[in-house]
Amino acid sequence: MNQKLFFLLLACLFVLSGVAHYAHFGTVAEFIISALAILFVAGFLGKATESVSHYAGQRLGGFLNATFGNAAELIIAIFLVRAGLFDMVKASITGSIIGNLLLVLGASVLLGGLKYKEQRFNVQLASHNSSLMILAVIALGIPAIFISTQHFSAHKSELLSLTIAGILIVAYVLWLIFSMITHKDVLADVEETTPDHGEEAAWSKTTSVLFLVLATVMTAFVSEWLVSTLHTFTAKFGFSEVFIGAFLIAIVGNAAEHSAAVMLAMKNKIGAAVEIAVGSSLQIALFVAPVLILVSTFFGPTMDIVFSPIELAAIAVSVFIAKSISKDGTTNWYEGSLLIFVYIILGISFYLV
Amino acid sequence: MNQKLFFLLLACLFVLSGVAHYAHFGTVAEFIISALAILFVAGFLGKATESVSHYAGQRLGGFLNATFGNAAELIIAIFLVRAGLFDMVKASITGSIIGNLLLVLGASVLLGGLKYKEQRFNVQLASHNSSLMILAVIALGIPAIFISTQHFSAHKSELLSLTIAGILIVAYVLWLIFSMITHKDVLADVEETTPDHGEEAAWSKTTSVLFLVLATVMTAFVSEWLVSTLHTFTAKFGFSEVFIGAFLIAIVGNAAEHSAAVMLAMKNKIGAAVEIAVGSSLQIALFVAPVLILVSTFFGPTMDIVFSPIELAAIAVSVFIAKSISKDGTTNWYEGSLLIFVYIILGISFYLV
Amino acid sequence: MNQKLFFLLLACLFVLSGVAHYAHFGTVAEFIISALAILFVAGFLGKATESVSHYAGQRLGGFLNATFGNAAELIIAIFLVRAGLFDMVKASITGSIIGNLLLVLGASVLLGGLKYKEQRFNVQLASHNSSLMILAVIALGIPAIFISTQHFSAHKSELLSLTIAGILIVAYVLWLIFSMITHKDVLADVEETTPDHGEEAAWSKTTSVLFLVLATVMTAFVSEWLVSTLHTFTAKFGFSEVFIGAFLIAIVGNAAEHSAAVMLAMKNKIGAAVEIAVGSSLQIALFVAPVLILVSTFFGPTMDIVFSPIELAAIAVSVFIAKSISKDGTTNWYEGSLLIFVYIILGISFYLV
């Protein structure tokens, strides 16, 4: 698409979406406009990320993207926590994790795999990512098993939740030290099979960074406007709150990662796509979730870390299928379709709840 | 054994078994005769498969064998579905999966491993097979978790069952496209360590194919005659229906795969043996099970996809131990014995139910 | 530390601990003295093991160490079984398995990893170990799933427990035959990255073996004196019996493996450290646990093999995280810290029960 036309549509839809939100155009109109707008801001974010990653190296670019994308989700979730909607928060955490591991990763692997027969990425990184995801499953699952079988008091449940939240944040900080400082070289991406020698970045280094920040802010705003319509809008169609949290909010909130990851996969940069999808899941599980638990203590009763059995089952099966598919460091279209099949099975199950 | 003697015994036992069945010799006599007959028809099927695989290449040979073997099981299960014996059907699906993953694979790996110190097969194929088995566990497990914790209505349960059945069949068809067309070369077997240069096939190409079809038809008949005796016969010994479905029917129904896989493993063609055992499990889980659910809607109430906790536990542990053992692409006798130990543990547990 | 000073303190503390025990100094004094003593006897055991392993080769040295270390635990547990304290026995079995897989392995990998950027060991061995650990999880988990959902009679439960105990012991004996005889060479350690050419053993071959035996006997005595204080001592602080069994007894009982494994890891012999930690877990699960069940039949009612859901969850998550981390045959400090985080999460959860 012509770049000028793209920016024109982006600006128009962004402004129109804001006007629709603050002038209360009505839920249906607001939903449609903001859903259209988010496609463009996410596309903008994807292009800016790609441009920055051209300068920063694929892995740091992927990390930046995951961070910026989840900043939007963290802000939305903090508002939900302040409103005491703990079940909706947990459902959206669940939805973000499975959305990234199944839908974002699945679409990237499928679409990348339709173009390239086999795509390769650093198997060391995949191995560490899967160990971290298992830590996340354990940290979220153990409280549920203990509390459901042993009848913990509310006080003990709170203590356990806060302790595990603290451990997860420490584990996340140590992971950043490990992957950015002490073992940066080990986790670097393997050389791409199709080197993009001579390919120019879309914008200059400074412009790329500014655009990345701008795109992230715009994404956060539009996401919020879209989310504000979901409750009323979907109530008319009889969706349950857990389905809205786990699927609609999560898909909208991850649209940025989604488009960026798919775009990278289709340029054969599957390593960066995996980094975005899995890195984003890890950040949700190891950083966003525990921060929300700690934040909840400032607003009133502490949100506990006890997820429902169906949420834990969804997270666990997503981690296992993603781990099984990514462990050999190669991907193909069929593996992408498997991830999407599991996402559809979970989606239908949550829809029927 | 002399080939003429073999065919003579095969023909005699097949005819005798048929006569015993239709002339109602009595349950005990019918059971013994048909059990003896099945050893010979299964041996015949194994030899025919091996001969065909000599012409078709190991992998296609393995696939053909799994298809033919499961055709018999599918026919038997359709009769059970028509009779409304849903629990028996699910038990036999469970038993076929664990029988193939533990008993057939275990015996092949053990007996092959006693002859050869280490046997190797294509690790790429093992990786894809294990991802598919995880999909099967998820597809069979998710409905049980959601329905047991969320109290679905019968209508929702039926809707979920039919949707998941549809997804599994699509996944299976895509897998055939992937493994037979788009990525055929990637999944080809590694070269055998002991090349069978100069080894002659038992029969000509046409004869091999005809014998394969004939052997499959004979196996289906004898299996059915044998199964028809099981209910009465085993009732005298106090076996539960779930034990009969999960162990006796499954062992008898998989005798063909069993002998063919073991024979191949002992000729150091462990890749073909793994393909038979795992491929047969996959076909049961991704094709036979969903087809039976769809077929049940034509006969009356839809069979749901909700397996009992012990059936799901049995399937899940079988997949995990088989995955753990096959993931490195090498096998030895000890790994075979581990699979058989798990089969015995499950067998005793089901027996005591 | 000066070697003479070390032996002097070792002897003094050992004697003092024995005197304190038999002269009933009071629980607090006995606890402190024996806890100090165990540090020295464990240190002595570690040095003796290292010296023996210098002569015997790393792997056999590791195996010897695990055997000797668990001899002490087996003796303690037999006394507990005779006293009918089945819950305490199962908790200490659980605690030994997770203590070895998480704390001992975690500390070795973490401390070794802080010194060496990446440590390598035989990936074949890791693969077999993880298959064996999965067998252990299945063997301990299946009875719990069947008995909790199917209401087995006491007689059936006993029969199932004894059969599975027998299978586990056979599997363990076959594993020794496999790893010591038929496939000894396959499982040999990879060459160390820092060869210890010219490093002298502390003692002569004969002295090393004598010291290993002596150290083991001393460890068993001091462990028992320490354990005898735990019940009274910890009752004052309100710890539950399951926490004492799973954490205090297990930590004390595994102090020997702990110090030996960490010492080896810090000399870059991570292969031997993994062998101690994982080998010890395997021996507990596949040998100590079934022997205790068989032994219990001689003293009165048979101890069943049914572990509580939280114990099984703890064992299963330990196996999965340890498997995920060890499967690539390389370790680093971050992987060690992940194991310790899971240990802390489990420790807090058991503490709050």
Side-chain angles (χ1 to χ4, degrees), chain C:
Chain C
M1 194 190 289
N2 183 294
Q3 193 165 308
K4 277 184 185 167
L5 180 62
F6 174 82
F7 277 112
L8 188 67
L9 282 168
L10 171 68
C12 289
L13 280 164
F14 180 76
V15 172
L16 190 59
S17 180
V19 170
H21 177 73
Y22 294 110
H24 301 292
F25 276 25
T27 311
V28 178
E30 286 174 40
F31 176 81
I32 293 169
I33 294 168
S34 58
L36 278 172
I38 212 155
L39 293 178
F40 280 83
V41 294
F44 180 35
L45 184 59
K47 282 185 183 185
T49 305
E50 211 190 329
S51 184
V52 168
S53 90
H54 186 89
Y55 295 105
Q58 272 189 51
R59 190 143 191 292
L60 183 59
F63 174 74
L64 286 175
N65 194 2
T67 312
F68 278 85
N70 289 323
E73 287 172 279
L74 184 58
I75 293 163
I76 297 170
I78 286 175
F79 282 100
L80 290 174
V81 165
R82 208 172 76 175
L85 298 169
F86 293 165
D87 284 347
M88 180 82 92
V89 173
K90 287 178 197 168
S92 74
I93 289 171
T94 306
S96 268
I97 295 173
I98 68 174
N100 274 292
L101 287 181
L102 300 176
L103 187 61
V104 177
L105 186 58
S108 302
V109 169
L110 175 60
L111 295 174
L114 289 174
K115 203 165 165 192
Y116 301 93
K117 186 164 183 182
E118 195 175 81
Q119 300 189 297
R120 295 183 171 279
F121 60 96
N122 186 334
V123 73
Q124 280 269 24
L125 181 59
S127 169
H128 280 93
N129 279 338
S130 77
S131 294
L132 273 165
M133 284 311 310
I134 290 175
L135 173 69
V137 170
I138 291 171
L140 300 180
I142 285 295
I145 293 170
F146 273 74
I147 289 173
S148 71
T149 59
Q150 304 289 330
H151 309 293
F152 275 35
S153 66
H155 172 69
K156 280 184 175 177
S157 170
E158 185 183 332
L159 197 64
L160 187 60
S161 298
L162 289 173
T163 315
I164 291 179
I167 289 171
L168 287 178
I169 289 173
V170 172
Y172 188 70
V173 171
L174 289 180
W175 167 246
L176 295 185
I177 293 170
F178 177 79
S179 62
M180 299 284 172
I181 301 170
T182 71
H183 286 64
K184 195 180 171 186
D185 50 329
V186 180
L187 301 176
D189 265 315
V190 290
E191 277 190 293
E192 298 303 310
T193 48
T194 314
D196 50 346
H197 44 77
E199 198 190 319
E200 288 293 310
W203 307 297
S204 78
K205 198 169 176 176
T206 317
T207 312
S208 301
V209 172
L210 284 175
F211 275 10
L212 183 59
V213 174
L214 179 64
T216 303
V217 172
M218 288 171 76
T219 306
F221 271 100
V222 182
S223 295
E224 206 188 346
W225 297 334
L226 184 65
V227 166
S228 74
T229 71
L230 288 176
H231 189 68
T232 326
F233 185 76
T234 52
K236 297 185 185 170
F237 294 90
F239 295 142
S240 71
E241 289 205 2
V242 70
F243 179 74
I244 296 174
F247 287 83
L248 296 195
I249 291 183
I251 288 174
V252 169
N254 290 307
E257 285 99 323
H258 201 142
S259 67
V262 169
M263 233 184 278
L264 287 164
M266 292 186 72
K267 295 199 171 185
N268 209 15
K269 298 185 180 180
I270 193 74
V274 170
E275 179 62 21
I276 289 174
V278 179
S280 186
S281 300
L282 284 175
Q283 206 181 36
I284 296 284
L286 301 182
F287 183 71
V288 173
V291 162
L292 291 173
I293 287 168
L294 297 181
V295 161
S296 72
T297 56
F298 294 101
F299 294 132
T302 304
M303 182 170 80
D304 65 34
I305 204 169
V306 185
F307 283 68
S308 72
I310 58 172
E311 287 169 340
L312 285 173
I315 293 172
V317 300
S318 304
V319 169
F320 281 111
I321 191 90
K323 181 177 173 298
S324 174
I325 277 168
S326 66
K327 74 174 171 224
D328 61 356
T330 68
T331 60
N332 54 55
W333 68 265
Y334 188 68
E335 297 184 322
S337 69
L338 281 187
L339 293 171
I340 290 172
F341 286 141
V342 175
Y343 190 72
I344 296 171
I345 290 173
L346 289 174
I348 291 165
S349 301
F350 272 98
Y351 173 75
L352 291 174
V353 165

Side-chain angles (χ1 to χ4, degrees), chain A residues 160-221:
Chain A
L160 186 60
S161 298
L162 289 173
T163 314
I164 290 178
I167 289 171
L168 287 178
I169 290 173
V170 171
Y172 188 69
V173 170
L174 289 180
W175 167 248
L176 294 184
I177 293 171
F178 176 79
S179 62
M180 300 284 170
I181 301 171
T182 72
H183 286 62
K184 195 182 169 184
D185 51 328
V186 179
L187 303 175
D189 265 314
V190 289
E191 276 189 292
E192 298 304 311
T193 47
T194 314
D196 50 344
H197 45 79
E199 199 190 317
E200 288 294 308
W203 306 297
S204 77
K205 197 169 178 176
T206 318
T207 313
S208 301
V209 172
L210 284 176
F211 276 9
L212 182 60
V213 174
L214 179 64
T216 304
V217 172
M218 288 172 77
T219 306
F221 270 100

Side-chain angles (χ1 to χ4, degrees), chain B residues 59 122 124-125 128 175 178-179 183-189:
Chain B
R59 188 142 194 294
N122 186 334
Q124 281 269 24
L125 181 59
H128 280 94
W175 167 246
F178 176 79
S179 62
H183 286 62
K184 196 182 170 184
D185 52 328
V186 180
L187 302 176
D189 265 316

Side-chain angles (χ1 to χ4, degrees), chain B residues 117 324 332-334 338 348 352, chain C residues 128 131 156 163 171 183 185:
Chain B
K117 186 163 183 181
S324 175
N332 54 56
W333 68 265
Y334 189 69
L338 281 187
I348 291 163
L352 292 174
Chain C
H128 280 93
S131 294
K156 280 184 175 177
T163 315
H183 286 64
D185 50 329

Side-chain angles (χ1 to χ4, degrees), chain A:
Chain A
M1 193 190 290
N2 184 293
Q3 193 165 311
K4 277 184 186 168
L5 180 62
F6 175 81
F7 276 112
L8 189 66
L9 282 167
L10 171 68
C12 287
L13 279 164
F14 180 77
V15 171
L16 189 59
S17 179
V19 170
H21 178 73
Y22 294 111
H24 302 292
F25 276 26
T27 311
V28 178
E30 287 175 40
F31 176 81
I32 293 168
I33 295 167
S34 57
L36 279 172
I38 213 154
L39 294 178
F40 280 82
V41 295
F44 181 33
L45 184 59
K47 283 185 182 183
T49 306
E50 208 190 331
S51 184
V52 168
S53 90
H54 186 90
Y55 295 105
Q58 272 189 50
R59 192 146 191 292
L60 184 58
F63 173 74
L64 286 174
N65 193 2
T67 314
F68 278 85
N70 289 322
E73 287 172 279
L74 184 57
I75 293 164
I76 297 169
I78 286 174
F79 281 100
L80 290 174
V81 166
R82 208 173 75 176
L85 298 168
F86 294 165
D87 283 347
M88 180 81 92
V89 173
K90 286 178 197 168
S92 75
I93 289 171
T94 305
S96 268
I97 293 172
I98 68 175
N100 274 293
L101 286 182
L102 300 176
L103 187 61
V104 177
L105 187 58
S108 302
V109 168
L110 174 60
L111 295 174
L114 289 175
K115 204 165 165 191
Y116 301 94
K117 186 165 183 181
E118 194 174 82
Q119 299 189 296
R120 296 184 170 278
F121 60 95
N122 186 334
V123 73
Q124 280 269 23
L125 181 59
S127 169
H128 280 92
N129 280 338
S130 78
S131 294
L132 272 165
M133 283 311 309
I134 290 175
L135 173 69
V137 171
I138 292 171
L140 299 180
I142 285 295
I145 294 170
F146 273 74
I147 289 174
S148 71
T149 58
Q150 304 289 329
H151 309 292
F152 275 34
S153 66
H155 172 69
K156 280 184 175 178
S157 170
E158 186 184 332
L159 197 64
L160 186 60
S161 298
L162 289 173
T163 314
I164 290 178
I167 289 171
L168 287 178
I169 290 173
V170 171
Y172 188 69
V173 170
L174 289 180
W175 167 248
L176 294 184
I177 293 171
F178 176 79
S179 62
M180 300 284 170
I181 301 171
T182 72
H183 286 62
K184 195 182 169 184
D185 51 328
V186 179
L187 303 175
D189 265 314
V190 289
E191 276 189 292
E192 298 304 311
T193 47
T194 314
D196 50 344
H197 45 79
E199 199 190 317
E200 288 294 308
W203 306 297
S204 77
K205 197 169 178 176
T206 318
T207 313
S208 301
V209 172
L210 284 176
F211 276 9
L212 182 60
V213 174
L214 179 64
T216 304
V217 172
M218 288 172 77
T219 306
F221 270 100
V222 182
S223 295
E224 206 185 347
W225 297 334
L226 184 65
V227 166
S228 74
T229 72
L230 289 176
H231 189 68
T232 324
F233 184 77
T234 51
K236 297 184 185 171
F237 294 89
F239 296 142
S240 70
E241 290 206 1
V242 71
F243 178 74
I244 297 174
F247 287 83
L248 296 194
I249 292 183
I251 288 173
V252 169
N254 289 308
E257 284 99 323
H258 202 141
S259 69
V262 169
M263 234 183 278
L264 288 164
M266 292 187 72
K267 296 200 170 185
N268 209 14
K269 298 186 179 179
I270 194 73
V274 170
E275 178 63 20
I276 289 175
V278 179
S280 187
S281 300
L282 284 175
Q283 206 180 35
I284 296 284
L286 301 182
F287 183 71
V288 173
V291 162
L292 290 173
I293 287 168
L294 298 181
V295 161
S296 72
T297 57
F298 293 102
F299 294 131
T302 304
M303 181 170 80
D304 65 34
I305 204 168
V306 185
F307 283 67
S308 73
I310 58 173
E311 287 170 341
L312 285 174
I315 294 173
V317 301
S318 305
V319 169
F320 281 112
I321 190 89
K323 178 176 173 299
S324 174
I325 277 167
S326 66
K327 74 175 172 224
D328 61 356
T330 69
T331 59
N332 54 55
W333 69 265
Y334 189 68
E335 297 184 321
S337 69
L338 281 187
L339 293 171
I340 290 172
F341 287 140
V342 175
Y343 190 72
I344 295 171
I345 290 173
L346 290 175
I348 290 165
S349 302
F350 272 98
Y351 174 74
L352 291 174
V353 166

